[in-house]
Amino acid sequence: MSHRCLSHLEAVARAATVRNLVYALDVDLTTGDELFRSVTTVRFTADPGAETFLEARPERLLGATLNGVELPADAFAEGRLRLADLAADNTVVVTAEYAYTRTSEGVHRFTDPADKQVYVYAQPSITDAPRFMACFDQPDLKAPVTLSVTADPSWLVRANAEGVQATPGRWEFPATKPVATYLITFVAGPYVELTDSHDGIPLGLYARASYAEVLERDAPEIFSLTKAFLDRYHELFGLRYPFGKYDQAFVPEFGWGAMEFPGCVVFRDELLFRAAVTDTERLERAAVIAHEMAHMWFGDLVTMRWWDDLWLNESFATYMGYRLVAEVTPWPQSWTRFGVGRKAWGYVADQRPSTHPIAPTEVADTDAAFANFDGISYAKGCSALRQLVAFIGDEAFLAGLRAHFDKHAWGNATLADLLGALSQASGRDLDAWAQAWLRTPQVNTLRPVIEWAPDGSYASVTVEQTASQEYPTLRPHRIGLGWFGEDGAWQRTEVEVTGASTPVPQLSGVRGRGLLLNDGDFTFAKIRMDERARAELPSLLAEQPDSLARALWWNSAWDAVRDAEWPATELVELAAAALPAEPDVVIVESVFGLARYAATRMVPADRQEAARSALAGAAKTLLATAAPGSGHQLAAARSLIATAADADRAMLRGWLSGADVPAGLRVDAELRWAVLGRLAVLGDVTEEEIDGELQRDTSDRGEQEAVRVRACRPDPAAKERAFDLVVTEQGQSNRIAAAAGDGLWQPEHAELTAPFVARYFAELPRAQGRSGDMLAHLAKAAYPVYAVSEDTLAAAQAALAGEMHPLLRRALVDETDDLARSLRAQRAA
Ligand SMILES: [Zn+2]
């Protein structure tokens, strides 16, 4: 149903009206496959005579009373229930039927194709709590929630609080501590459970029955990480985990990576590894586990007042996530992954037309809040926090945090509150820092200007800082400078860059090579290298012992290509030469990814085949030398599959039938689908073969992969079907739509898919009951990313001239900006 999004002004007014709020929610999941029923009882005090409204978005409102009196029919409109003439003490009871979704919005209902078992979970997201209850849906109206759930008696139900099955099928959960509506959840179905405990905290892990074996296999690692992170947060924050038990549920088709529901964190179940993975994936999963746990303190215990501080929530949790992985797990290179993975996402987002300050001064409504779920809020904000820690020191940072938690526990706080606590702890005024870093958008470029002495030493080194014309802010950057000294050892000094030009006198007279700005990666800036370093880059990469420094060089090269300062072919050649000898699998995978992007979009069309072939050659070299069963071997195999050409078809066919498989390489379900997808792109897979594979793998992943592989076939009917699935059709799973979009566009199928480019911009995913967030998701999934041309740009501009949902527009603007960059890169080649 249509609804109005909540504005900041409305939220402020409502927070001033509603006091002493308490919810009781009674959910009945036994009323059929399409709809479920809930009764919400809302109690609060107010000034007599005041007026306010609740949000609710049911399919059918069955009844609504205020203080025992039925509300008039016209009180309910646009997803809002108007409450007029309030008493001092108020009780509202709303009984309604709500629709299950397949988009991970509200209550998601999933039938597992592997065994036909049904699973549901509640995802309130920013605006979807009213899809299962009546509530004041804003982060500063926190309240205790008492929950009851009626479900199939064979089901297990988990929620924020520790509950019991009081009678068969009837679950009762006592009142939670005060929580925001976006943090209320329940998970219900024939989930399997594994339990443990640590330091007095009960721990639970959950997955659907068809993942029981996978959960069993991964549980020791997940439990062990969970315990190590709990210990470390207790140490750092000086405040124990505040929500009783700590459950982690891995659920099907979750829309995000995970969500920090207090006491009951929910993860997408792709994070349980049913197939072989590399350390990159294990590291990233660990970072997600630590990220969600950080939110228990920052977000759940102390909650933002309004969505303008969403970034603070996410930046903080991202920072803590990678920090804890570096500190207490077997993957000390987590900042390398951040540097070459997440951070690149931040740079991209910050240079788009849609850029915004990390901390916007105003987020007018919930639509605007959704648009801020981007690389700026997560990655750039995380980098800014690293810079802040470098600026004030870790001790002051942690002391400020502890004071902040103490002061605002169970309540709400703002950026100003946190800055106040950090200023007090560090004795430094942070206003100017916050203004430069948090209140202004866009990224600075740092460039070394080197005068060379005749003997080959540095006569002088200056760090030059520039900003874009539209956003001319220069910022203070506390950075490391690294170089190879005469003895070949890597050296480092630190400097505080301010203004346009910062001399580094300590380097005068030093005989060094490979000068690297931002060594240690404490700041967020585009880093350029000097001409000599660029020329020597292959040997510098080979000699550099520190993976984080190598990541910074790769990022610098990637950035120069995106800015059309370096030809994309140079990056591809560099990657092809360096990756077979790269010791860190995190860099192997990340840089293969960047190089493939360059080879398929930024290299001019007539040279793309050669670029792909260079990458395939590098993958073959790595595959031949990697240790059997290693992450390097798997990364090489995946990269080879993605870039394989006609001549490699026999090899790929062999992998499917078990012939000539490299020793130690597990050709499991995921790898089989990857091979089939590539063979399909190359025109070598029939529908019957896909059906056969689907019989081997009857999981939902199998269903998604089958959709993707069908869409990969160079067949007009297959493309037509894929286009319908992602652009036109309603009601299918969000995963299926994304899979269709993924297969539809292939660099090799430019001619075949040309008609769909114009159709994409003419038709675009339509609303028809879809949320703005889902429209944006589909628009990205279906965007013609390989059709890099003036014509595509013109079609995009024409489409953008029309009316559309702001979140759909944002997605189109961003994708089109990437396309324009690719076009510029092609021209620079
Ligand atoms: Zn988060």
Side-chain angles (χ1 to χ4, degrees):
M1 72 176 314
S2 77
H3 69 283
R4 261 162 74 194
C5 75
L6 184 71
S7 77
H8 189 191
L9 285 174
E10 289 171 328
V12 169
R14 199 160 60 172
T17 305
V18 173
R19 294 184 293 271
N20 302 308
L21 175 64
V22 176
Y23 293 109
L25 174 63
D26 190 342
V27 182
D28 186 350
L29 301 173
T30 61
T31 58
D33 297 353
E34 306 286 325
L35 301 175
F36 63 97
R37 189 173 293 201
S38 87
V39 181
T40 320
T41 306
V42 189
R43 293 198 169 83
F44 62 99
T45 62
D47 292 332
E51 178 175 331
T52 190
F53 62 92
L54 280 162
E55 286 112 317
R57 282 148 61 199
E59 286 300 296
R60 205 149 61 95
L61 186 65
L62 300 174
T65 59
L66 168 60
N67 299 328
V69 179
E70 194 71 31
L71 288 165
D74 67 353
F76 183 61
E78 292 184 292
R80 294 175 173 198
L81 195 56
R82 190 157 49 82
L83 307 174
D85 197 18
L86 293 172
D89 288 296
N90 299 280
T91 302
V92 183
V93 180
V94 178
T95 307
E97 278 181 337
Y98 300 81
Y100 290 113
T101 71
R102 280 303 292 281
T103 55
S104 191
E105 296 169 299
V107 177
H108 187 98
R109 187 178 192 278
F110 171 80
T111 304
D112 192 335
D115 57 12
K116 310 296 175 234
Q117 303 260 39
V118 173
Y119 298 88
V120 305
Y121 55 83
Q123 158 59 310
S125 180
I126 289 183
T127 55
D128 291 330
R131 291 171 83 156
F132 57 86
M133 67 188 289
C135 59
F136 301 113
D137 196 18
Q138 63 188 67
D140 59 344
L141 280 170
K142 293 169 78 166
V145 182
T146 307
L147 173 71
S148 312
V149 176
T150 304
D152 183 306
S154 70
W155 283 15
L156 195 98
V157 184
R158 288 292 177 268
N160 303 100
E162 176 88 69
V164 291
Q165 189 168 196
T167 56
R170 179 69 179 170
W171 293 78
E172 303 287 355
F173 300 85
T176 62
K177 298 279 195 180
V179 293
T181 44
Y182 79 93
L183 295 171
I184 299 170
T185 197
F186 53 84
V187 171
Y191 284 93
V192 291
E193 174 186 48
L194 294 176
T195 59
D196 199 342
S197 75
H198 181 66
D199 191 13
I201 301 167
L203 306 176
L205 296 179
Y206 301 86
R208 52 188 148 122
S210 65
Y211 268 60
E213 241 174 73
V214 186
L215 183 70
E216 193 92 33
R217 198 165 59 222
D218 283 7
E221 179 171 312
I222 297 171
F223 275 136
S224 139
L225 289 168
T226 303
K227 294 171 185 179
F229 293 151
L230 278 169
D231 286 347
R232 186 67 179 143
Y233 282 133
H234 287 158
E235 248 167 58
L236 293 175
F237 297 159
L239 184 68
R240 279 183 63 80
Y241 168 69
F243 291 100
K245 50 108 182 173
Y246 195 70
D247 285 334
Q248 297 176 95
F250 294 81
V251 305
E253 298 184 329
F254 197 61
W256 301 346
M259 183 64 201
E260 66 267 23
F261 304 117
C264 189
V265 178
V266 166
F267 298 83
R268 60 166 56 210
D269 63 13
E270 285 89 343
L271 287 172
L272 292 176
F273 301 139
R274 69 173 196 140
V277 294
T278 67
D279 270 2
T280 312
E281 285 147 309
R282 294 173 69 205
L283 180 165
E284 283 287 5
R285 176 171 72 183
V288 175
I289 292 171
H291 173 120
E292 303 311 326
M293 197 186 284
H295 278 310
M296 296 299 134
W297 286 263
F298 207 102
D300 295 2
L301 176 68
V302 179
T303 308
M304 64 196 140
R305 189 164 292 293
W306 175 244
W307 298 111
D308 52 356
D309 277 334
L310 168 87
W311 74 274
L312 194 53
N313 241 13
E314 295 312 336
S315 306
F316 182 86
T318 304
Y319 169 76
M320 280 298 167
Y322 284 102
R323 173 174 171 159
L324 263 70
V325 172
E327 288 178 352
V328 300
T329 78
W331 306 290
Q333 75 277 41
S334 75
W335 287 115
T336 299
R337 172 63 181 171
F338 177 78
V340 76
R342 298 294 265 186
K343 208 174 170 196
W345 180 40
Y347 289 130
V348 168
D350 204 20
Q351 295 175 76
R352 282 179 169 150
S354 59
T355 185
H356 55 85
I358 294 176
T361 43
E362 172 62 343
V363 169
D365 56 33
T366 48
D367 276 346
F370 259 118
N372 285 349
F373 269 93
D374 60 13
I376 295 172
S377 292
Y378 284 76
K380 184 186 179 186
C382 168
S383 261
L385 286 180
R386 283 198 93 192
Q387 177 61 202
L388 179 64
V389 173
F391 190 64
I392 64 173
D394 198 41
E395 238 169 83
F397 177 68
L398 294 172
L401 276 183
R402 290 189 197 120
H404 185 70
F405 293 149
D406 266 359
K407 188 165 175 192
H408 302 285
W410 306 115
N412 293 84
T414 63
L415 170 63
D417 295 324
L418 179 68
L419 287 178
L422 294 173
S423 287
Q424 189 148 31
S426 65
R428 296 182 74 153
D429 181 355
L430 294 175
D431 282 355
W433 184 91
Q435 184 61 34
W437 272 102
L438 305 179
R439 296 296 192 194
T440 59
Q442 263 273 9
V443 58
N444 298 122
T445 302
L446 302 181
R447 200 183 293 270
V449 179
I450 301 175
E451 301 272 348
W452 297 93
D455 67 353
S457 65
Y458 301 127
S460 72
V461 175
T462 307
V463 180
E464 197 178 77
Q465 178 178 196
T466 53
S468 73
Q469 280 181 343
E470 306 136 276
Y471 302 103
T473 310
L474 299 181
R475 299 179 180 86
H477 299 265
R478 180 145 199 100
I479 60 167
L481 269 77
W483 70 93
F484 283 113
E486 264 182 297
D487 58 357
W490 187 244
Q491 316 276 322
R492 183 191 289 182
T493 186
E494 288 197 2
V495 61
E496 188 137 350
V497 170
T498 49
S501 177
T502 305
V504 190
Q506 61 265 46
L507 281 180
S508 296
V510 168
R511 193 189 285 268
R513 51 191 283 271
L515 186 69
L516 173 63
L517 303 189
N518 197 27
D519 188 31
D521 200 18
F522 297 118
T523 200
F524 186 84
K526 304 206 294 181
I527 301 302
R528 290 295 191 261
M529 43 190 116
D530 63 277
E531 281 307 314
R532 285 194 197 183
R534 177 180 170 180
E536 284 186 296
L537 194 51
S539 57
L540 292 174
L541 285 166
E543 289 165 49
Q544 178 56 256
D546 177 13
S547 75
L548 182 54
R550 298 196 299 278
L552 284 157
W553 270 323
W554 282 116
N555 224 333
S556 174
W558 168 242
D559 202 63
V561 169
R562 278 180 39 85
D563 282 351
E565 288 183 21
W566 289 21
T569 45
E570 189 172 330
L571 180 81
V572 172
E573 283 159 17
L574 192 64
L579 292 182
E582 168 57 50
D584 194 328
V585 72
V586 162
I587 293 188
V588 170
E589 293 195 279
S590 306
V591 175
F592 259 131
L594 297 179
R596 258 203 317 278
Y597 186 108
T600 51
R601 305 193 202 183
M602 296 171 143
V603 168
D606 60 345
R607 278 179 261 165
Q608 287 188 3
E609 204 180 316
R612 275 200 302 275
S613 157
L615 292 178
K620 282 176 192 164
T621 308
L622 181 55
L623 192 60
T625 53
S630 66
H632 277 71
Q633 184 188 46
L634 181 55
R638 286 172 176 168
S639 201
L640 177 52
I641 292 166
T643 45
D646 267 332
D648 304 312
R649 272 167 35 199
M651 176 197 70
L652 294 183
R653 282 268 157 220
W655 290 7
L656 286 181
S657 63
D660 296 326
V661 179
L665 183 69
R666 253 170 62 196
V667 185
D668 51 31
E670 295 289 339
L671 214 58
R672 287 184 65 86
W673 283 115
V675 168
L676 267 188
R678 190 60 194 168
L679 287 171
V681 171
L682 298 171
D684 191 15
V685 171
T686 62
E687 288 284 333
E688 291 68 34
E689 200 175 355
I690 299 169
D691 291 340
E693 195 63 27
L694 198 47
Q695 276 169 9
R696 289 177 70 121
D697 180 6
T698 56
S699 69
D700 53 320
R701 280 287 304 146
E703 283 188 344
Q704 295 154 22
E705 284 293 281
V707 166
R708 186 182 69 81
V709 174
R710 286 186 214 286
C712 282
R713 296 181 60 227
D715 167 51
K719 299 296 184 191
E720 185 79 42
R721 177 75 193 122
F723 186 85
D724 281 347
L725 274 174
V726 63
V727 176
T728 320
E729 271 189 24
Q730 293 285 308
Q732 83 281 21
S733 143
N734 44 352
R735 293 286 200 284
I736 293 288
D742 199 15
L744 168 60
W745 307 106
Q746 300 293 336
E748 293 87 348
H749 299 168
E751 220 169 294
L752 176 64
T753 51
F756 292 99
V757 177
R759 278 185 58 191
Y760 170 84
F761 290 108
E763 297 178 25
L764 290 175
R766 304 276 167 198
Q768 296 168 332
R770 284 167 167 154
S771 69
D773 191 35
M774 206 43 55
L775 289 174
H777 175 76
L778 294 173
K780 282 184 210 166
Y783 198 89
V785 291
Y786 303 116
V788 177
S789 72
E790 284 293 350
D791 286 350
T792 311
L793 266 188
Q797 299 306 346
L800 282 165
E803 289 286 314
M804 65 184 77
H805 192 286
L807 291 173
L808 175 60
R809 176 177 303 281
R810 168 71 188 270
L812 279 187
V813 165
D814 289 354
E815 292 296 322
T816 304
D817 182 51
D818 285 351
L819 192 89
R821 271 185 185 271
S822 291
L823 192 58
R824 286 201 293 279
Q826 287 199 8
R827 296 211 166 121

